[in-house]
Amino acid sequence: MKSRGICILLCNLIILFVSAGTRKLNFQVYDELTQLGIRPFVEVYNATDTSKIIKSFSSLKIGEFSLNIDENSPKIIIKIYGTREEVKNNEIWHFKSDYYTPKRIELELSPDLPDPYNHPAIYLERYRQKDLKEVTVTASKVMFYHKGDTLIYNADAFVTPQGSTLDVLIKQLPGVEIDNSGTITCDGRKIDLLMLNGRDFFDGNSKILLNNLDAFTVKDIAVYEKLGHTSGLMQRKTGDEKRVMDVRLKRQYHIGMMTNNDIG
């Protein structure tokens, strides 16, 4: 009888421990237009008191985030925003932005919800600015398209503040990131060479071009693989290919290359 009582006590302790545990929730977040992953800013609320934020954070990963929620919380509300970047003390910080219309998700943590729980993909819609006086909506432009194996971004489809340089424009391109050293990645792959109108003017020092070329002079930006010397001779890939981002200027800026420091 004594051993049976101990077993019952241990079982109760195990049940208590499990009920006081947490449940992992996984989410994937995409741009509704481009279908590319975006870095989300997340706010979690208690469904019984929506004025109380349980937690808020910017995801460390692009296109996904996870939550560990107390299983005793029967229902939660999750608000998902897009993010904007700010540089503070040479570090990049991410904050919620109104560039996307936020998505509200109400989730009931029922006992039959699997652990971990993988939520269906979430797509954030870009905010569409309307002029109510004239009842007009600004038409959107094609942001990017593929031409063979080349990915081409249309610079006119992105709005940059007056006086912006190339780095501000590139940071808006879907799937593209720049770190503090000037290293660029596109869809997770490093860009080996940043060129201007098909030429490398700066011996691979991309920061000169990023920080000096005026954004308004850019027509489009092409991303493709450039064959190396050996590959060009053999007319096939031999391993010396480079991932290239080619910044192509509008016709009126081909000569002179208007930049902040006359780098042209």
Side-chain angles (χ1 to χ4, degrees):
M1 292 293 293
K2 185 177 181 180
S3 61
R4 183 182 177 186
I6 294 174
C7 289
I8 294 174
L9 178 61
L10 287 174
C11 289
N12 289 334
L13 288 174
I14 291 173
I15 293 172
L16 179 64
F17 176 77
V18 171
S19 63
T22 58
R23 181 175 300 178
K24 187 173 183 180
L25 314 176
N26 297 321
F27 299 83
Q28 292 183 318
V29 185
Y30 300 96
D31 184 306
E32 186 179 59
L33 177 64
T34 66
Q35 306 292 299
L36 296 174
I38 60 175
R39 188 190 304 277
F41 185 92
V42 183
E43 291 179 344
V44 184
Y45 297 82
N46 189 321
T48 59
D49 183 5
T50 55
S51 64
K52 180 182 178 182
I53 299 180
I54 299 176
K55 61 177 69 176
S56 64
F57 61 93
S58 172
S59 175
L60 297 177
K61 296 182 179 180
I62 294 178
E64 62 180 277
F65 70 94
S66 297
L67 291 173
N68 289 317
I69 298 296
D70 187 344
E71 288 190 343
N72 293 325
S73 301
K75 186 183 293 185
I76 58 172
I77 293 173
I78 303 171
K79 284 188 179 179
I80 304 170
Y81 303 80
T83 56
R84 59 181 174 85
E85 291 185 350
E86 285 187 14
V87 178
K88 294 184 177 181
N89 299 324
N90 294 324
E91 292 185 355
I92 298 178
W93 294 70
H94 294 90
F95 303 89
K96 68 179 180 182
S97 167
D98 58 3
Y99 188 68
Y100 292 94
T101 301
K103 185 82 72 174
R104 182 183 185 275
I105 296 172
E106 189 169 318
L107 190 61
E108 188 169 351
L109 304 180
S110 58
D112 58 343
L113 198 70
D115 185 16
Y117 168 70
N118 297 313
H119 191 277
I122 298 163
Y123 295 90
L124 296 187
E125 180 183 1
R126 292 170 181 267
Y127 176 73
R128 293 181 174 87
Q129 187 173 8
K130 298 181 180 179
D131 188 339
L132 297 180
K133 292 181 179 179
E134 298 185 13
V135 197
T136 58
V137 179
T138 303
S140 59
K141 298 180 180 179
V142 175
M143 301 178 68
F144 65 91
Y145 59 95
H146 287 84
K147 189 174 182 180
D149 293 332
T150 302
L151 171 62
I152 301 176
Y153 293 97
N154 175 22
D156 286 339
F158 302 90
V159 179
T160 55
Q162 187 174 1
S164 296
T165 48
L166 178 62
D167 60 329
V168 177
L169 172 61
I170 289 181
K171 285 178 180 178
Q172 292 193 37
L173 306 183
V176 177
E177 289 193 326
I178 307 176
D179 65 16
N180 291 335
S181 67
T183 300
I184 305 171
T185 57
C186 180
D187 291 336
R189 295 179 59 189
K190 179 183 175 184
I191 297 296
D192 300 307
L193 187 61
L194 181 66
M195 300 197 301
L196 181 63
N197 284 345
R199 297 175 61 186
D200 177 18
F201 286 95
F202 313 104
D203 296 326
N205 187 351
S206 61
K207 295 192 75 171
I208 296 177
L209 191 59
L210 289 170
N211 297 333
N212 290 277
L213 183 69
D214 288 315
F216 70 85
T217 66
V218 179
K219 174 190 174 186
D220 58 32
I221 298 175
V223 179
Y224 57 90
E225 278 196 352
K226 179 180 175 65
L227 296 179
H229 179 70
T230 304
S231 297
L233 291 176
M234 303 291 291
Q235 289 299 302
R236 60 181 177 84
K237 293 183 178 182
T238 61
D240 62 348
E241 305 84 27
K242 289 187 176 181
R243 184 79 166 165
V244 168
M245 177 174 283
D246 187 10
V247 179
R248 303 187 293 204
L249 300 181
K250 296 174 182 175
R251 184 182 298 274
Q252 61 266 40
Y253 302 119
H254 277 205
I255 299 176
M257 299 179 187
M258 297 174 61
T259 59
N260 288 346
N261 292 322
D262 296 329
I263 59 174

